[in-house]
mmCIF file of all heavy atoms in Angstrom:
data_model
loop_
_atom_site.group_PDB
_atom_site.id
_atom_site.type_symbol
_atom_site.label_atom_id
_atom_site.label_comp_id
_atom_site.label_asym_id
_atom_site.label_seq_id
_atom_site.Cartn_x
_atom_site.Cartn_y
_atom_site.Cartn_z
ATOM 1 N N LEU A 339 -1.306 42.808 -7.042
ATOM 2 C CA LEU A 339 -1.342 42.129 -5.747
ATOM 3 C C LEU A 339 -0.208 41.119 -5.625
ATOM 4 O O LEU A 339 0.361 40.928 -4.539
ATOM 5 C CB LEU A 339 -2.702 41.434 -5.559
ATOM 6 C CG LEU A 339 -2.952 40.782 -4.202
ATOM 7 C CD1 LEU A 339 -2.856 41.799 -3.067
ATOM 8 C CD2 LEU A 339 -4.333 40.116 -4.197
ATOM 9 N N LEU A 340 0.147 40.466 -6.717
ATOM 10 C CA LEU A 340 1.261 39.525 -6.696
ATOM 11 C C LEU A 340 2.581 40.258 -6.476
ATOM 12 O O LEU A 340 3.474 39.748 -5.770
ATOM 13 C CB LEU A 340 1.312 38.722 -7.998
ATOM 14 C CG LEU A 340 0.133 37.803 -8.281
ATOM 15 C CD1 LEU A 340 0.358 37.030 -9.586
ATOM 16 C CD2 LEU A 340 -0.093 36.825 -7.130
ATOM 17 N N ASN A 341 2.723 41.432 -7.059
ATOM 18 C CA ASN A 341 3.924 42.223 -6.808
ATOM 19 C C ASN A 341 4.027 42.600 -5.336
ATOM 20 O O ASN A 341 5.109 42.566 -4.742
ATOM 21 C CB ASN A 341 3.916 43.496 -7.672
ATOM 22 C CG ASN A 341 4.153 43.185 -9.141
ATOM 23 O OD1 ASN A 341 4.887 42.266 -9.475
ATOM 24 N ND2 ASN A 341 3.510 43.950 -10.008
ATOM 25 N N PHE A 342 2.890 42.954 -4.737
ATOM 26 C CA PHE A 342 2.896 43.288 -3.309
ATOM 27 C C PHE A 342 3.348 42.093 -2.469
ATOM 28 O O PHE A 342 4.174 42.233 -1.559
ATOM 29 C CB PHE A 342 1.500 43.733 -2.860
ATOM 30 C CG PHE A 342 1.378 43.855 -1.363
ATOM 31 C CD1 PHE A 342 1.893 44.955 -0.700
ATOM 32 C CD2 PHE A 342 0.782 42.849 -0.625
ATOM 33 C CE1 PHE A 342 1.805 45.062 0.682
ATOM 34 C CE2 PHE A 342 0.683 42.945 0.754
ATOM 35 C CZ PHE A 342 1.200 44.057 1.409
ATOM 36 N N ILE A 343 2.796 40.921 -2.761
ATOM 37 C CA ILE A 343 3.149 39.728 -1.983
ATOM 38 C C ILE A 343 4.632 39.414 -2.147
ATOM 39 O O ILE A 343 5.318 39.047 -1.177
ATOM 40 C CB ILE A 343 2.285 38.529 -2.420
ATOM 41 C CG1 ILE A 343 0.808 38.778 -2.068
ATOM 42 C CG2 ILE A 343 2.776 37.251 -1.747
ATOM 43 C CD1 ILE A 343 0.523 38.904 -0.596
ATOM 44 N N TRP A 344 5.140 39.573 -3.355
ATOM 45 C CA TRP A 344 6.565 39.313 -3.585
ATOM 46 C C TRP A 344 7.427 40.255 -2.754
ATOM 47 O O TRP A 344 8.387 39.836 -2.101
ATOM 48 C CB TRP A 344 6.873 39.465 -5.074
ATOM 49 C CG TRP A 344 8.301 39.224 -5.421
ATOM 50 C CD1 TRP A 344 8.948 38.022 -5.481
ATOM 51 C CD2 TRP A 344 9.280 40.218 -5.761
ATOM 52 N NE1 TRP A 344 10.265 38.211 -5.845
ATOM 53 C CE2 TRP A 344 10.496 39.542 -6.019
ATOM 54 C CE3 TRP A 344 9.239 41.596 -5.888
ATOM 55 C CZ2 TRP A 344 11.660 40.210 -6.375
ATOM 56 C CZ3 TRP A 344 10.394 42.272 -6.252
ATOM 57 C CH2 TRP A 344 11.595 41.573 -6.495
ATOM 58 N N PHE A 345 7.078 41.538 -2.769
ATOM 59 C CA PHE A 345 7.801 42.512 -1.952
ATOM 60 C C PHE A 345 7.676 42.180 -0.461
ATOM 61 O O PHE A 345 8.642 42.288 0.302
ATOM 62 C CB PHE A 345 7.248 43.924 -2.191
ATOM 63 C CG PHE A 345 7.803 44.610 -3.402
ATOM 64 C CD1 PHE A 345 6.962 45.108 -4.390
ATOM 65 C CD2 PHE A 345 9.167 44.790 -3.553
ATOM 66 C CE1 PHE A 345 7.466 45.770 -5.494
ATOM 67 C CE2 PHE A 345 9.688 45.448 -4.671
ATOM 68 C CZ PHE A 345 8.834 45.936 -5.636
ATOM 69 N N LEU A 346 6.476 41.799 -0.046
ATOM 70 C CA LEU A 346 6.232 41.521 1.376
ATOM 71 C C LEU A 346 7.102 40.383 1.876
ATOM 72 O O LEU A 346 7.661 40.447 2.983
ATOM 73 C CB LEU A 346 4.754 41.196 1.590
ATOM 74 C CG LEU A 346 4.353 40.843 3.025
ATOM 75 C CD1 LEU A 346 4.580 42.028 3.967
ATOM 76 C CD2 LEU A 346 2.892 40.399 3.074
ATOM 77 N N LEU A 347 7.223 39.324 1.074
ATOM 78 C CA LEU A 347 8.052 38.193 1.484
ATOM 79 C C LEU A 347 9.511 38.599 1.654
ATOM 80 O O LEU A 347 10.210 38.095 2.537
ATOM 81 C CB LEU A 347 7.912 37.048 0.471
ATOM 82 C CG LEU A 347 6.555 36.341 0.464
ATOM 83 C CD1 LEU A 347 6.442 35.400 -0.731
ATOM 84 C CD2 LEU A 347 6.339 35.571 1.768
ATOM 85 N N LEU A 348 9.979 39.508 0.810
ATOM 86 C CA LEU A 348 11.333 40.022 0.980
ATOM 87 C C LEU A 348 11.434 40.879 2.245
ATOM 88 O O LEU A 348 12.406 40.793 2.997
ATOM 89 C CB LEU A 348 11.745 40.863 -0.232
ATOM 90 C CG LEU A 348 11.966 40.126 -1.560
ATOM 91 C CD1 LEU A 348 12.282 41.131 -2.661
ATOM 92 C CD2 LEU A 348 13.088 39.107 -1.448
ATOM 93 N N ALA A 349 10.421 41.698 2.461
ATOM 94 C CA ALA A 349 10.453 42.606 3.607
ATOM 95 C C ALA A 349 10.393 41.866 4.933
ATOM 96 O O ALA A 349 10.989 42.308 5.923
ATOM 97 C CB ALA A 349 9.287 43.586 3.510
ATOM 98 N N VAL A 350 9.680 40.757 4.976
ATOM 99 C CA VAL A 350 9.558 39.985 6.215
ATOM 100 C C VAL A 350 10.933 39.545 6.720
ATOM 101 O O VAL A 350 11.194 39.535 7.929
ATOM 102 C CB VAL A 350 8.625 38.773 5.998
ATOM 103 C CG1 VAL A 350 8.829 37.711 7.075
ATOM 104 C CG2 VAL A 350 7.175 39.230 5.986
ATOM 105 N N ASP A 351 11.806 39.192 5.798
ATOM 106 C CA ASP A 351 13.153 38.776 6.206
ATOM 107 C C ASP A 351 13.944 39.934 6.795
ATOM 108 O O ASP A 351 14.776 39.739 7.687
ATOM 109 C CB ASP A 351 13.915 38.200 5.004
ATOM 110 C CG ASP A 351 13.388 36.835 4.588
ATOM 111 O OD1 ASP A 351 12.894 36.111 5.467
ATOM 112 O OD2 ASP A 351 13.460 36.512 3.393
ATOM 113 N N GLY A 352 13.691 41.143 6.313
ATOM 114 C CA GLY A 352 14.417 42.298 6.835
ATOM 115 C C GLY A 352 13.849 42.832 8.132
ATOM 116 O O GLY A 352 14.574 43.344 8.978
ATOM 117 N N GLY A 353 12.525 42.728 8.294
ATOM 118 C CA GLY A 353 11.887 43.160 9.526
ATOM 119 C C GLY A 353 11.851 44.658 9.748
ATOM 120 O O GLY A 353 11.725 45.113 10.888
ATOM 121 N N LYS A 354 11.953 45.461 8.680
ATOM 122 C CA LYS A 354 11.971 46.904 8.808
ATOM 123 C C LYS A 354 10.567 47.485 8.621
ATOM 124 O O LYS A 354 9.956 47.328 7.573
ATOM 125 C CB LYS A 354 12.934 47.529 7.798
ATOM 126 C CG LYS A 354 14.384 47.112 8.008
ATOM 127 C CD LYS A 354 14.884 47.529 9.385
ATOM 128 C CE LYS A 354 16.310 47.068 9.617
ATOM 129 N NZ LYS A 354 16.783 47.436 10.984
ATOM 130 N N LEU A 355 10.082 48.175 9.653
ATOM 131 C CA LEU A 355 8.730 48.727 9.619
ATOM 132 C C LEU A 355 8.567 49.745 8.503
ATOM 133 O O LEU A 355 7.491 49.839 7.899
ATOM 134 C CB LEU A 355 8.401 49.366 10.971
ATOM 135 C CG LEU A 355 7.011 50.011 11.102
ATOM 136 C CD1 LEU A 355 5.912 48.991 10.809
ATOM 137 C CD2 LEU A 355 6.835 50.615 12.491
ATOM 138 N N THR A 356 9.607 50.517 8.218
ATOM 139 C CA THR A 356 9.512 51.526 7.152
ATOM 140 C C THR A 356 9.211 50.879 5.807
ATOM 141 O O THR A 356 8.414 51.399 5.017
ATOM 142 C CB THR A 356 10.818 52.333 7.055
ATOM 143 O OG1 THR A 356 11.932 51.433 6.990
ATOM 144 C CG2 THR A 356 10.977 53.241 8.257
ATOM 145 N N VAL A 357 9.843 49.738 5.539
ATOM 146 C CA VAL A 357 9.601 49.031 4.280
ATOM 147 C C VAL A 357 8.163 48.523 4.235
ATOM 148 O O VAL A 357 7.455 48.668 3.231
ATOM 149 C CB VAL A 357 10.585 47.856 4.125
ATOM 150 C CG1 VAL A 357 10.276 47.062 2.859
ATOM 151 C CG2 VAL A 357 12.017 48.358 4.102
ATOM 152 N N PHE A 358 7.724 47.931 5.317
ATOM 153 C CA PHE A 358 6.363 47.406 5.412
ATOM 154 C C PHE A 358 5.340 48.518 5.184
ATOM 155 O O PHE A 358 4.359 48.337 4.455
ATOM 156 C CB PHE A 358 6.183 46.770 6.791
ATOM 157 C CG PHE A 358 4.831 46.154 7.027
ATOM 158 C CD1 PHE A 358 4.364 45.122 6.226
ATOM 159 C CD2 PHE A 358 4.028 46.593 8.079
ATOM 160 C CE1 PHE A 358 3.121 44.532 6.454
ATOM 161 C CE2 PHE A 358 2.792 46.014 8.317
ATOM 162 C CZ PHE A 358 2.342 44.988 7.504
ATOM 163 N N THR A 359 5.576 49.662 5.772
ATOM 164 C CA THR A 359 4.654 50.790 5.642
ATOM 165 C C THR A 359 4.604 51.303 4.206
ATOM 166 O O THR A 359 3.535 51.611 3.674
ATOM 167 C CB THR A 359 5.064 51.929 6.587
ATOM 168 O OG1 THR A 359 5.134 51.421 7.926
ATOM 169 C CG2 THR A 359 4.062 53.075 6.539
#
Side-chain angles (χ1 to χ4, degrees):
L339 185 59
L340 296 182
N341 289 326
F342 170 78
I343 294 297
W344 180 74
F345 277 125
L346 178 63
L347 290 170
L348 291 177
V350 161
D351 288 330
K354 297 300 178 182
L355 179 57
T356 50
V357 176
F358 181 60
T359 304

